[in-house]
Amino acid sequence: MTGWATEEKASDDAVQNHRLDSIERRLDKHDEMLHKLVEAQTRSEEQMIGLSASFELLAESQTATQEMINGIGQSIVKWMMGLGSVLVTAMIGVQGVM
């Protein structure tokens, strides 16, 4: 009887060891997946930081462009007002001569 009990114990130990090995392999796979997810998250955060910096530069560029366009528009208006004044002066001068 002791031989049979010993064989059953050895069989139970083998089954238990097989289950533990299977669980360990699954845990290793999960660890690998978690590691890959952490790496992907890190890359994603780095890309978001770069994208944020790009948006800031774009906003600054847009602001500078808008200021330049406004300056050009103001210069054109001043030039046209000066041209209008010259024309009015010339017309008045011509009428005064006549």
Side-chain angles (χ1 to χ4, degrees), residues 1 10 22 34 36 40 43 46 57 60 67 70 91-92:
M1 287 268 212
S22 176
L34 284 173
K36 288 179 182 178
R43 282 193 306 273
E46 289 171 354
L57 289 173
E60 290 173 7
E67 289 172 355
N70 288 344
M91 289 171 62
I92 291 175

Side-chain angles (χ1 to χ4, degrees), residues 28-46:
D28 288 344
K29 286 182 182 178
H30 286 235
D31 283 345
E32 289 175 23
M33 289 172 39
L34 284 173
H35 182 68
K36 288 179 182 178
L37 285 172
V38 167
E39 287 177 351
Q41 180 67 30
T42 302
R43 282 193 306 273
S44 177
E45 288 173 357
E46 289 171 354

Side-chain angles (χ1 to χ4, degrees), residues 1-95:
M1 287 268 212
T2 51
W4 179 74
T6 305
E7 287 178 19
E8 187 177 330
K9 173 85 168 112
S11 176
D12 287 346
D13 287 346
V15 169
Q16 188 68 17
N17 285 339
H18 178 71
R19 288 180 182 161
L20 289 174
D21 288 343
S22 176
I23 290 170
E24 187 175 340
R25 283 192 303 275
R26 280 191 240 142
L27 286 173
D28 288 344
K29 286 182 182 178
H30 286 235
D31 283 345
E32 289 175 23
M33 289 172 39
L34 284 173
H35 182 68
K36 288 179 182 178
L37 285 172
V38 167
E39 287 177 351
Q41 180 67 30
T42 302
R43 282 193 306 273
S44 177
E45 288 173 357
E46 289 171 354
Q47 290 173 349
M48 289 301 291
I49 290 170
L51 188 58
S52 177
S54 294
F55 280 135
E56 288 177 22
L57 289 173
L58 180 61
E60 290 173 7
S61 175
Q62 184 178 5
T63 301
T65 302
Q66 188 62 47
E67 289 172 355
M68 183 177 68
I69 290 170
N70 288 344
I72 290 170
Q74 289 173 354
S75 295
I76 290 172
V77 168
K78 288 179 185 176
W79 179 78
M80 291 177 74
M81 288 175 63
L83 182 62
S85 295
V86 168
L87 289 174
V88 168
T89 304
M91 289 171 62
I92 291 175
V94 169
Q95 286 179 354

